[in-house]
Each structure stands twice: as structure tokens, then as C-alpha cells.
Amino acid sequence: MNAATLDPALARRPLFGPRAWAALAVAVALLALLPWLNLAFPPGHALHVSAYAVALLGKFMCYALAALALDLVWGYAGILSLGHGLFFALGGYAHGMYLMRAIGRDGVHQSDVPDFMVFLNWQEYPWYWAFTDHFWYAMLLVVLVPGGLAFVFGYFAFRSRIKGVYFSIITQALTFAAMLLFFRNDTGFGGNNGFTDFKRILGFDITAPTTRAALYWITLAALFGALVLARAVTQSKLGRVLTAVRDAESRVRFIGYEPLGFKLFVWTLSAVMCGVAGALYVPQVGIINPGEMSTENSIEMVIWVATGGRGTLIGPIIGAGAVNGLKTWFTSVFPEFWLYALGLIFVLVTLLLPQGIVGLVRRWAARRQEHTA
């Protein structure tokens, strides 16, 4: 076990100090200001922020929430998941079902069912679409579907003491199987195209600037709330047990703790957070399809966490923003080489920055403090 596991004083050390909280407050305030600048100032004004930039940052925050969820299980419990893209997509599909029904008769075919169902000669909604015309029921599905699947899968996997690379491979296989299922036209989820062409959310025009701004602010609030929740979990006794399980699971079991319940709790919580991220992603991007379940997307999440700094909570948020910002630029200049660049990032981070960006900043701060002492 590491020093923090053995020494309660170290284990209770605050994850974020006063300076970190101050920096977080400033960052949240600046991010919250951007949609207002878009609404308050016309295009061409020096203070105007484009709608594209607002939508892009909103998408990045959804990715950051998913990275934070993965860090909770990988960084603190030592559970490397290669299937978190599944939970992200399930949350997106649960919200997307509501958004599709909210289209009403405004589709191309002006039918009571979505256009893709008309194309496939579906006359009525399947049973799992029941009640999804109610917003709060759909939000309940956003939590229950990823959380329920994670709980059932995690219970049998952790009870069988599957861990390490074997667990990672199983999560990857589960995600790939789900992707193949959703690609089928007869499952009622839109096949290859998925859900798109959304019109309204809670009666508001989903493309209106004010609606976009509201979705952005809700995403920012969800990300900050998830960060506070994750910090509370990791700084509690539960978090210290999870860290001990990560470092020496057999010793934890020997002293009387059963790891199953601890691992299952944090695994399910992580899946729910990822589902919420997917639900916030869909109305801002305007589409959800089985491609979001691809194993490549899940591996990208791992790269975000590793780049920012595993086991730091704030690091994955930074990593998600940095990698996706680079991706946005790189794919506009050299789109065919992005996957090579992504692989190179992961190799360089593993070799040169094993503790990620946050670890680099901490080392720099420690050296500066030594020089000034």
C-alpha cells in the first residue's frame, strides 16, 4: 500500500487547496460568461463569442464529465474500463428518445412516429419507447439504464474477482456487442443514423441561442457538481478504502473489508455520471448514433484521463479539453492522420508524463517552492 493508505493524516489531506478552489471558481465564472457574450453582443463585436464556440465548449464539457467518471473508477479504484462509451451512449439514447418524440408531426413525413420508423414501416412505438414523451421519465431512464446495466454487469464481474486486463477486455466486448445491436434497423433505435433532426426540448426551440445557452450552463453546473461529488467520495472513508483496494485488494480483504460492495458502488456511480454526460451531449450536438459506443471512443476516454493525470479528478477534465481541442484543430488540417497523432499522444504521455499534465504542474510547483525556500 502507498503512504496515503497507511497514514490516515495523509489520506485526509484536502484534494484541492484554497488556491485550487479559487482557480476553479475563476474558471467556472469565465466559462459561464461565454454564452452571455454570445447573446449580448452582435457578430462582429470585439466581445462577441460565436455560437460555434459555445456549442464546441459545451461538447467538451460533456466529454470532461465522462472523463471525470472514468477517473473515479480507474484512478481511485484501479478499475480500467474500456467500455465507458457504452454508458455515455445509453444516456444519450435515453434523452434522444424523448427528443425524437418531441418532434411530433414536424418531421419530413409528418407522421406520429419518427421518420426512420416510417421508412422501416413501423406503425407504432415499441414497448421500450413507452412514456418517453415525458421529459422527467426520460431523465429517469438516463440514470437507471446505464446504472442498472453497470450494477448487474459489475456484480457478476466483481463477485467472480475478474480484474486487470481481463476486466478491461470484457468491458470492451460488452460495448462492441451493444454497438452491433444498436446498428440493427429492427431494434427501433434508428440503425446507422441513430437519432437526429431534433426540434424542441421542453417546448423550446432546440436551435435557439437562448436554449443553447441554457444547455451550456446546465452542462457546466453538472460538471462542477460532479467534481464536488467525486471529491467528497474520494476524500471520505469510502475513498480511502477504494484506494486501498486499488493498491492491495487481497490485504483489504484480509483485514475484514469485502471489496465487492465498494467497487460496485463506485462503478455504478461512474456509469450514471457517464450517462448524464451523454444525455447533455445529445441536444447540444444534435445527434446520437451507435458510433458513440465504438471501442475507439472508450479508448479515447482513457487517453483523456491519462493525459490530464489519473487519480487527480481535475486532471481528466483538463485532459479532455486539451485532447479534444487538439483534435478539433488537427482534424481540420490533417484529418486522415488524427488517429496516428492520438496514438503518439498516448505513447508520449506514458513515457514522459506518467502523472499527466497535473503531475507536471505539481513537479514544477514543488521545484519552484524549493528554489524560493
Side-chain angles (χ1 to χ4, degrees), residues 240-325:
R240 296 195 293 275
V241 174
L242 286 173
T243 304
V245 169
R246 178 195 66 191
D247 296 336
E249 183 173 344
S250 58
R251 294 187 185 182
V252 171
R253 187 176 287 109
F254 178 76
I255 63 176
Y257 287 94
E258 174 51 55
L260 173 61
F262 296 97
K263 294 169 71 174
L264 190 58
F265 170 80
V266 74
W267 172 254
T268 305
L269 175 62
S270 176
V272 169
M273 289 171 58
C274 219
V276 171
L280 292 168
Y281 171 88
V282 169
Q284 296 183 85
V285 177
I287 188 172
I288 180 69
N289 59 38
E292 296 297 337
M293 297 183 188
S294 67
T295 53
E296 291 86 353
N297 284 8
S298 297
I299 294 173
E300 274 199 46
M301 291 184 188
V302 174
I303 295 176
W304 302 341
V305 176
T307 302
R310 181 167 71 103
T312 62
L313 296 185
I314 195 66
I317 295 175
I318 297 172
V323 174
N324 283 287

Side-chain angles (χ1 to χ4, degrees), residues 1-335:
M1 296 187 183
N2 58 24
T5 306
L6 296 173
D7 188 346
L10 289 176
R12 291 183 177 87
R13 185 176 56 186
L15 186 60
F16 304 137
R19 289 185 180 180
W21 280 116
L24 281 172
V26 171
V28 170
L30 290 176
L31 287 171
L33 185 64
L34 298 181
W36 181 81
L37 294 176
N38 170 257
L39 297 173
F41 297 98
H45 194 281
L47 296 178
H48 176 75
V49 175
S50 68
Y52 170 77
V54 172
L56 187 65
L57 285 173
K59 182 174 73 171
F60 285 0
M61 287 190 293
C62 294
Y63 289 153
L65 179 53
L68 175 63
L70 179 59
D71 188 43
L72 202 57
V73 292
W74 186 31
Y76 288 90
I79 304 170
L80 175 56
S81 168
L82 296 180
H84 261 48
L86 172 59
F87 304 132
F88 184 89
L90 288 176
Y93 267 100
H95 193 187
M97 290 166 71
Y98 162 77
L99 294 174
M100 289 299 290
R101 297 194 68 161
I103 294 174
R105 286 182 163 268
D106 292 342
V108 175
H109 297 283
Q110 297 183 347
S111 173
D112 290 328
V113 296
D115 290 335
F116 76 87
M117 287 189 170
V118 176
F119 177 76
L120 296 173
N121 294 320
W122 287 55
Q123 302 299 321
E124 57 184 13
Y125 291 104
W127 63 267
Y128 40 85
W129 277 62
F131 307 111
T132 51
D133 53 333
H134 301 287
F135 176 78
W136 292 113
Y137 177 75
M139 293 302 100
L140 187 64
L141 292 181
V142 167
V143 174
L144 293 182
V145 174
L149 176 62
F151 182 87
V152 174
F153 173 82
Y155 175 78
F156 288 105
F158 298 142
R159 192 184 68 168
S160 302
R161 300 186 182 180
I162 299 174
K163 55 185 177 181
V165 66
Y166 302 104
F167 184 86
S168 301
I169 292 173
I170 291 175
T171 57
Q172 191 175 49
L174 176 68
T175 303
F176 190 73
M179 183 184 69
L180 294 180
L181 177 66
F182 274 67
F183 265 125
R184 295 174 58 91
N185 288 328
D186 57 359
T187 56
F189 294 108
N192 293 355
N193 297 323
F195 298 159
T196 188
D197 195 30
F198 308 128
K199 306 292 185 183
R200 288 176 292 275
I201 180 170
L202 288 175
F204 297 98
D205 181 3
I206 203 168
T207 61
T210 52
T211 306
R212 293 287 186 179
L215 290 169
Y216 177 99
W217 284 321
I218 292 171
T219 305
L220 178 60
L223 177 59
F224 183 74
L227 178 61
V228 173
L229 174 62
R231 179 189 178 277
V233 170
T234 56
Q235 293 291 284
S236 65
K237 181 180 177 181
L238 168 64
R240 296 195 293 275
V241 174
L242 286 173
T243 304
V245 169
R246 178 195 66 191
D247 296 336
E249 183 173 344
S250 58
R251 294 187 185 182
V252 171
R253 187 176 287 109
F254 178 76
I255 63 176
Y257 287 94
E258 174 51 55
L260 173 61
F262 296 97
K263 294 169 71 174
L264 190 58
F265 170 80
V266 74
W267 172 254
T268 305
L269 175 62
S270 176
V272 169
M273 289 171 58
C274 219
V276 171
L280 292 168
Y281 171 88
V282 169
Q284 296 183 85
V285 177
I287 188 172
I288 180 69
N289 59 38
E292 296 297 337
M293 297 183 188
S294 67
T295 53
E296 291 86 353
N297 284 8
S298 297
I299 294 173
E300 274 199 46
M301 291 184 188
V302 174
I303 295 176
W304 302 341
V305 176
T307 302
R310 181 167 71 103
T312 62
L313 296 185
I314 195 66
I317 295 175
I318 297 172
V323 174
N324 283 287
L326 180 62
K327 179 180 181 180
T328 301
W329 173 81
F330 208 96
T331 51
S332 65
V333 181
F334 308 107

Side-chain angles (χ1 to χ4, degrees), residues 330-344:
F330 208 96
T331 51
S332 65
V333 181
F334 308 107
E336 65 274 17
F337 296 110
W338 166 243
L339 289 180
Y340 298 103
L342 186 65
L344 180 62

